[in-house]
Amino acid sequence: MSDLSPNGDAKTSLNHGENTTHALSTVPTSVTLSAEQFERLYLTPMTRQQPKLARQVGNPTPLALGGFVITTTPLSCCLMAWRGASGNGIAFIGPIIFLGGLLLLITSILEFILGNTFPCVVFGTIGGFWFAFAASMIPSFNAAAPYSTSGTDTISGLSSPSFMTTYAFLFITMAVLMLIFMICATRTNMVYTLIFLSLLLVFLLLSSAYWRLAEGDSTVGNKCVKGAGAALFVASLLGFYLLIVQLFESLGFPFHLPVGDLAVLWNRRENKDNGDRDLESSD
């Protein structure tokens, strides 16, 4: 379509002129991301938000350490028979449930919320063990009573050879778990590693004690029980130290107690391996 100008010249339509001078181009509407790009865009922001969340809710680890030391310290004294203590922990059923199991379970949930997998698993499993250990000594759970001669006496069942032989396998399983935790703790610090090493000895000695006592060897069995108490006492002292370290840091004390950071050793090893690979690729 065209119009005549006052001079008689044909004039092109405005719309036609715009269509010819401003041609439309196709814009791609889909973008393909590599796995590395996707991780940087979506996973990295989530990781960066974690420290902010940690500052809002605080550090839950001292809560678990408090429950750990307030349970293990008197129990270790009982196992070592200090001042005539006896019963292998029956007197501490209440503290084991509410100070050991409950506080560690709460801390495990909080560590899960913060995304701390290793502390979550450690506190959750140890807290669950405290619950199970206490339940074995509570008559209403009927765990040890069937092993007694009457079939209804929990106290007698706890000291029966059949119960000790059977229950020792739980200690062996916990010893294997502590070994795994100890290996994982070498990525953290020396204090954590020594705590798990002490707990490993505790469960190994308790399993040995139960098997020896079940066979009637009270001399070796009682020595193993006392050895387990001594190892547990060392673990509780290390727990007290780690608790003090974390509380001092939370309150901003102007000094830092050493914990023997082992992550530095792993980082040096990884840097050395990366350097060796770079040299090999350059050659």
Side-chain angles (χ1 to χ4, degrees):
M1 176 181 179
S2 62
D3 298 328
L4 291 177
S5 64
N7 298 327
D9 298 327
K11 184 168 64 175
T12 307
S13 173
L14 179 62
N15 292 335
H16 179 70
E18 289 179 351
N19 291 335
T20 56
T21 57
H22 301 286
L24 296 177
S25 59
T26 303
V27 179
T29 57
S30 63
V31 178
T32 302
L33 297 178
S34 64
E36 293 78 9
Q37 292 173 329
F38 178 83
E39 188 174 12
R40 284 197 298 269
L41 287 174
Y42 293 97
L43 300 184
T44 302
M46 292 170 58
T47 304
R48 290 177 179 174
Q49 291 176 2
Q50 181 177 333
K52 181 180 179 180
L53 178 61
R55 288 194 299 268
Q56 290 176 349
V57 301
N59 181 15
T61 303
L63 178 63
L65 291 174
F68 174 77
V69 298
I70 209 170
T71 306
T72 56
T73 304
L75 181 59
S76 64
C77 297
C78 174
L79 294 178
M80 289 186 291
W82 283 3
R83 298 188 62 83
S86 61
N88 293 336
I90 295 179
F92 304 122
I93 292 179
I96 287 174
I97 294 175
F98 295 103
L99 296 177
L102 183 59
L103 291 185
L104 266 70
L105 181 60
I106 293 174
T107 306
S108 176
I109 296 173
L110 295 177
E111 296 285 5
F112 172 80
I113 295 173
L114 294 177
N116 299 327
T117 303
F118 181 59
C120 170
V121 175
V122 169
F123 298 142
T125 52
I126 295 180
F129 169 78
W130 282 131
F131 279 125
F133 184 71
S136 301
M137 296 182 290
I138 297 176
S140 59
F141 279 88
N142 201 33
Y147 290 92
S148 64
T149 55
S150 63
T152 56
D153 189 356
T154 299
I155 302 300
S156 177
L158 289 172
S159 58
S160 66
S162 299
F163 175 82
M164 288 187 171
T165 301
T166 305
Y167 206 77
F169 287 103
L170 175 62
F171 295 143
I172 287 292
T173 307
M174 289 297 297
V176 174
L177 189 62
M178 292 304 110
L179 177 62
I180 297 173
F181 289 165
M182 183 185 68
I183 296 174
C184 295
T186 58
R187 295 280 292 185
T188 57
N189 58 65
M190 182 64 70
V191 179
Y192 262 128
T193 306
L194 292 177
I195 288 177
F196 292 122
L197 176 60
S198 301
L199 293 177
L200 172 63
L201 295 176
V202 170
F203 290 115
L204 288 177
L205 288 171
L206 283 178
S207 61
S208 300
Y210 271 45
W211 278 331
R212 298 309 301 172
L213 291 173
E215 294 179 359
D217 191 355
S218 59
T219 302
V220 177
N222 290 331
K223 287 183 179 179
C224 289
V225 171
K226 289 184 178 180
L232 188 60
F233 187 73
V234 172
S236 66
L237 292 180
L238 293 171
F240 269 114
Y241 179 78
L242 201 58
L243 175 63
I244 293 172
V245 170
Q246 298 215 354
L247 289 180
F248 280 8
E249 290 181 354
S250 66
L251 293 174
F253 275 71
F255 56 87
H256 299 280
L257 298 175
V259 293
D261 186 14
L262 298 177
V264 178
L265 300 178
W266 285 92
N267 293 335
R268 290 177 181 175
R269 179 64 182 176
E270 292 173 356
N271 293 334
K272 182 178 181 300
D273 294 340
N274 293 333
D276 294 340
R277 284 194 292 268
D278 293 339
L279 288 177
E280 292 176 358
S281 60
S282 62
D283 294 338

